Amino acid sequence: MFKLIAGPCAIESEEMAMDIAEKMKAITDKLGIDYTFKGSFDKANRTSIHSKRGLGIDEGLRILQKVKATYNIPVATDIHESWQAEPVGKVVDIVQIPAFLCRQTDLLVAAAKTGKCINIKKAQFLAPWDMKNCLQKVVESGNSNVMLCERGTSFGYNTLVVDMTGLVEMKKFGYPVIFDATHSVQKPGGKGDATGGNREYVEYLAKAAIAVGVDGLFMETHQNPDEAWSDGPNMVKLDDMEELLTKLVKVYEAVH
């Protein structure tokens, strides 16, 4: 079965994170999906300086550790600065490199040195084959436990598109490829002082990526996306996740 990395964009509270983790574990256990909880302690690349960013590294890692211990599931978070790699690596199972930062050599090397699985998101401005250089920075730093993640490509202003052949191109490198179904429906900066998006297209892009043969999906989910601190317009409502994942499992079973 495919791998799923899912959770809120930003960790807003312990209660919120634990609720999402509990419900997602129950759903994925039922469907036989390999699940990792994802939550960010900081969103450093927000559109506006006035946007909420998160709870900070200390509180965020404490909550991630509690999620991991309580539900016996792996956890993932992203890092934005090299110094964050070491403390994050002591807690999480997957260290995620944000798309905007996927070419930052020092960040990739620091992430590699944690020895954890590294999920490198492809920048919106890079071609799929350009990810070979990002991949090599981690592998040649001594860590071959790497995944590459597609999250859409810039197409004009405030728009992303997904080239499904890019998933095939990245798989040629011989490492797992993850498809980010929620960030791929973003409209970056589309609301002026915030990012827009259209969550109704998540299902269709996820189905297509599963059919193409990705190794896993990344999706952000929230109890009430319209009130989320970040990425609300493209996040899937938590109550809708079981129905969506059930459909995706059927697609997976049909093509494997």
Side-chain angles (χ1 to χ4, degrees):
M1 188 56 66
F2 60 85
K3 182 178 187 64
L4 176 67
I5 304 169
C9 181
I11 298 173
E12 300 173 13
S13 68
E14 178 182 315
E15 180 183 11
M16 170 255 219
M18 297 295 284
D19 179 56
I20 292 175
E22 180 180 19
K23 290 176 180 175
M24 286 303 303
K25 176 174 169 54
I27 293 168
T28 52
D29 282 353
K30 177 180 177 181
L31 297 175
I33 296 171
D34 178 9
Y35 175 59
T36 297
F37 174 87
K38 177 268 170 187
S40 297
F41 58 82
D42 181 27
K43 302 301 295 182
N45 58 355
R46 300 304 310 279
T47 302
S48 168
I49 195 170
H50 303 294
S51 300
K52 292 182 179 179
R53 291 179 48 166
L55 299 177
I57 189 167
D58 293 336
E59 179 67 359
L61 289 180
R62 183 192 69 79
I63 293 171
L64 286 167
Q65 180 62 59
K66 184 170 183 179
V67 167
K68 184 175 182 177
T70 302
Y71 300 111
N72 192 31
I73 53 176
V75 296
T77 197
D78 39 20
I79 60 173
H80 295 85
E81 299 181 56
S82 300
W83 68 266
Q84 296 173 341
E86 183 178 2
V88 165
K90 293 178 180 178
V91 174
V92 308
D93 303 275
I94 299 176
V95 178
Q96 186 163 279
I97 305 298
F100 286 128
L101 302 177
C102 73
R103 287 167 49 110
Q104 295 296 101
T105 302
D106 290 347
L107 187 66
L108 290 166
V109 172
K113 290 180 178 178
T114 66
K116 297 302 179 71
C117 178
I118 311 301
N119 185 33
I120 312 174
K121 290 200 164 186
K122 181 181 76 64
Q124 299 90 327
F125 48 84
L126 285 185
W129 41 88
D130 291 333
M131 286 298 286
K132 181 178 180 179
N133 296 314
C134 304
L135 176 65
Q136 286 179 328
K137 290 179 182 182
V138 175
V139 174
E140 293 186 19
S141 297
N143 188 341
S144 59
N145 190 6
V146 188
M147 303 186 296
L148 301 178
C149 184
E150 170 64 59
R151 52 93 73 236
T153 300
S154 296
F155 184 78
Y157 297 129
N158 305 126
T159 304
L160 298 175
V161 296
V162 178
D163 175 7
M164 291 292 166
T165 67
L167 300 172
V168 180
E169 288 294 325
M170 288 197 290
K171 282 183 71 71
K172 291 178 182 178
F173 298 139
Y175 291 83
V177 171
I178 306 296
F179 177 65
D180 182 342
T182 49
H183 286 101
S184 291
V185 301
Q186 275 185 339
K187 292 187 178 297
K191 298 174 73 175
D193 61 354
T195 289
N198 194 336
R199 70 177 66 95
E200 74 173 277
Y201 296 134
V202 170
E203 175 183 337
Y204 305 105
L205 290 179
K207 284 178 176 177
I210 289 288
V212 166
V214 293
D215 301 282
L217 296 173
F218 177 102
M219 286 192 278
E220 289 183 334
T221 185
H222 192 282
Q223 292 93 336
N224 188 354
D226 292 333
E227 295 185 4
W229 285 5
S230 63
D231 279 352
N234 48 268
M235 280 200 281
V236 178
K237 190 173 183 180
L238 184 59
D239 287 346
D240 296 334
M241 285 297 289
E242 182 170 358
E243 180 181 359
L244 172 58
L245 290 171
T246 299
K247 293 177 181 178
L248 296 178
V249 166
K250 291 179 180 178
V251 175
Y252 180 88
E253 292 173 343
V255 298
H256 286 79

